[in-house]
Each structure stands twice: as structure tokens, then as C-alpha cells.
Amino acid sequence: MKLRRSLMALAGFAVGQPGETPSPLTQSLPRAVAARAVSSPEMAEVQTAHSFTGRMCAATRAEESQHPQALFQDLLAWHLAGVEGRRAPMGSWILVPRTRYGDNVLVSAYSRQKTPCRQLVLLGAGFDARAFRTFSSPEQSGQNGTLQLSDLTVFEVDQPTTFDVKEAILNYPNVKSRCPLTVKDRRVVPVDFTQQESWADKLLQNGFDPSVPTVWLLEGLLYYLSDSTVDDLARDVGRLSAANSVLFFDSVTHDYRYAGVAPGGAPFISGNDDYGRLWRKYGFEVVVHDFEHVRVSRERQRLEMATHAPLLPRHCRGKNKVLFVEGKKR
């Protein structure tokens, strides 16, 4: 399994590419459902490779939701993936544990008795549907998730092309009537991280409150940004975060950027062997985990962590590793 994961990672995060053979998800859908998609907003296509990776991720969440031992349920994912995403789902080896890990971080921070988090910021939100989902506690199976985060305000930050397509799907009568919000509020913040416009300023303009403890999920984002942009982003997250805010992101080691990984045509251009040093500058204490120590338990329908010490910079230098990083604001 370890060798297979490594080979898949080096080849690219995507398994399954546009081609002749439909994915198992598409093949298993009722004909009536498939036919409705032909004339719906799901036919629309996004305009950038980075936005396209979000549709790939949604396709894999849809596939996972149909698994008999699923780690989570995402009833909107099939619609949000659209036709283009369903042709090229992201590798489940990374997407499934990453999604459940992010869910666990969110639920734990929301549910704690002291200083619970009441804001969620999805930086690089893509076609995420957490604002419409229910959740399991970290110890529960994925199919028993009935927890609604009804006091949570969700801010989704991503490229304008993502929301051009996503909002049309969410407002489509066939979709909107079946999947209402499960949170207090949802606000979209269209912005391009690679341009000079400030995502932080736009977040504040859309009602974000820096005094409220917040969950920051940066899933599938940092390795697409330059080192300087990642540093700027970490600075802004630190500046906007109240004490006891938490964050989770996946990333890669420094040398991994040279492995030629480019899911959906979006290349990895950064990585870091010492995320602890980076985030400490901006007030966060972080723990770096080796992705190889995160195990999907189908029997219990949850994640399990192997007993290993967190990674230090010396464990990362010169190696190709996928990292799960979790932090808390001091």
C-alpha cells in the first residue's frame, strides 16, 4: 500500500483521466438522473486548471458517498462535480482521508466547550459543500453523521470562475430544493490568490469577524501557490485569527515540487520542510503529520492515526512526502 500510494502521488494526485470509460459513479446512476444533468448548469465548465481540480475533488466525494462503508456523506458532490469533474475524479487515496480529517478538525473545534469556533473559512473552497452537509464526530462512522453545525458561518474563498459555475448549480431548482443550508450562513468571496487583490480585505468586507475563533481549512491549496504567496497567506491568516482559532491543510515537502505533479493540469510549485517555523511567525503552533501515518478504516468508517511522533524538518529534507498539518492560534 505504501509503495502504491507513493507511485500514485508521483504520477499525479488524479487517478482516472478524461477518456472513453465512464467512472463507476456515472455508470451507477439512474438514467433519469443522468439525463437531467444534460440540460442543467452541471454542463458548464470552469475556466482555470485550479478550479477544475475542485470539480475533480467533488467527483471523488460523490463516489465516496456511495461507498457502503463511507467515511462521510456529501449529497451535493455529484451535482457540483459536473460533467467535466465526473470524467476525471481526484485520487481517493488523498481526497477521502483529507476530507474526513478536515471534518474532524471542524467538528472538534465547533463542539468544544471553551471558546468554540463559530466561523469556518475555506481558502481555496472549490466545490466544497460543508455548508450543506451533516457530520460525524471523529469517533463515529461516516454513515452515522447527523450533526448539524447550526451556529456556524461559512466563508468560501476561491476564484471567480468557481463561483460562476457553483452558484448556478446550487440555485438550480432541482438541487436547491433537496439540499438546504445546514449552517447559520454561507458567504462567497470571489478572489484570485495569485493576483494583487487582497482576499483578506474581501473576507472582512463580507462580514468576517476577527474576534471570533475560526476554523481555517486550506485543503488542496498551498502547493499551487508560490513560496512568497504562501508566506503572505500565512501572515494574513495569523492577522485575522482570534486566539484558539485552528487550521488544517495538506501540503508537500520542499523536494516534492520537482516531482512533476500537476492534477488537472495545475502544477505543484511549492513545498516546505519546516511548516512549524513558517506558522510560528504568525502566532500558530502546528503539528506536522506524515500522510503515510493516516489510515482509512473501512471497518469503523473513520480515520485512524498510526502511533508516530510528528515530523520534524530533518525527517522531510530531501524526501517526497505528503503532509497533513494541523495548528492552533496562541
Side-chain angles (χ1 to χ4, degrees), residues 13-230:
F13 274 29
V15 291
Q17 299 294 333
E20 301 81 9
T21 306
S23 74
L25 172 65
T26 306
Q27 289 176 315
S28 68
L29 290 168
R31 289 184 180 180
V33 174
R36 283 198 299 270
V38 174
S39 59
S40 79
E42 296 164 33
M43 292 292 294
E45 296 185 354
V46 294
Q47 301 302 306
T48 67
H50 295 108
S51 186
F52 177 62
T53 65
R55 304 206 87 177
M56 296 166 66
C57 292
T60 304
R61 287 193 292 270
E63 291 184 335
E64 175 66 14
S65 298
Q66 291 194 9
H67 195 288
Q69 296 172 304
L71 268 66
F72 53 83
Q73 295 290 322
D74 187 340
L75 302 181
L76 274 173
W78 187 87
H79 298 286
L80 292 172
V83 174
E84 62 174 349
R86 295 193 291 265
R87 289 174 178 157
M90 188 69 73
S92 61
W93 65 274
I94 178 68
L95 199 283
V96 171
R98 186 179 78 189
T99 300
R100 181 59 190 260
Y101 201 110
D103 287 355
N104 291 350
V105 169
L106 171 61
V107 170
S108 296
Y110 179 88
S111 303
R112 66 194 184 198
Q113 292 189 349
K114 292 184 178 180
T115 61
C117 290
R118 289 296 182 260
Q119 294 180 139
L120 167 64
V121 179
L122 300 167
L123 291 181
F127 289 80
D128 186 284
R130 285 188 174 96
F132 303 88
R133 289 179 46 206
T134 57
F135 298 86
S136 305
S137 70
E139 298 78 22
Q140 283 182 310
S141 71
Q143 291 184 333
N144 291 331
T146 59
L147 177 63
Q148 290 194 17
L149 310 185
S150 54
D151 291 326
L152 188 71
T153 298
V154 178
F155 297 87
E156 298 184 12
V157 185
D158 211 328
Q159 295 178 335
T161 185
T162 294
F163 295 119
D164 289 344
V165 174
K166 186 175 185 178
E167 299 311 293
I169 293 172
L170 292 175
N171 288 311
Y172 192 61
N174 231 12
V175 175
K176 190 173 184 178
S177 62
R178 295 203 306 270
C179 298
L181 278 178
T182 57
V183 297
K184 181 179 179 180
D185 196 11
R186 171 182 177 264
R187 303 176 189 181
V188 301
V189 185
V191 68
D192 191 334
F193 294 103
T194 64
Q195 303 302 317
Q196 293 302 312
E197 57 184 335
S198 170
W199 65 265
D201 288 346
K202 287 196 171 184
L203 187 65
L204 291 167
Q205 291 165 13
N206 277 272
F208 177 82
D209 186 347
S211 69
V212 175
T214 299
V215 177
W216 300 85
L217 297 185
L218 291 61
E219 298 163 305
L221 175 64
L222 296 192
Y223 30 65
Y224 297 125
L225 306 178
S226 68
D227 290 325
S228 61
T229 302
V230 170

Side-chain angles (χ1 to χ4, degrees), residues 216-290:
W216 300 85
L217 297 185
L218 291 61
E219 298 163 305
L221 175 64
L222 296 192
Y223 30 65
Y224 297 125
L225 306 178
S226 68
D227 290 325
S228 61
T229 302
V230 170
D231 192 281
D232 290 344
L233 183 146
R235 178 200 63 210
D236 286 338
V237 169
R239 176 171 61 88
L240 294 174
S241 293
N244 297 303
S245 294
V246 299
L247 68 87
F248 165 66
F249 62 89
D250 62 311
S251 194
V252 295
T253 51
H254 176 274
D255 283 8
Y256 206 129
R257 74 177 78 191
Y258 306 118
V261 178
F268 286 10
I269 62 172
S270 73
N272 196 318
D273 296 334
D274 194 355
Y275 279 110
R277 182 173 180 270
L278 169 65
W279 286 90
R280 274 195 301 274
K281 289 193 301 182
Y282 304 115
F284 278 87
E285 291 297 333
V286 303
V287 177
V288 181
H289 297 289
D290 188 335

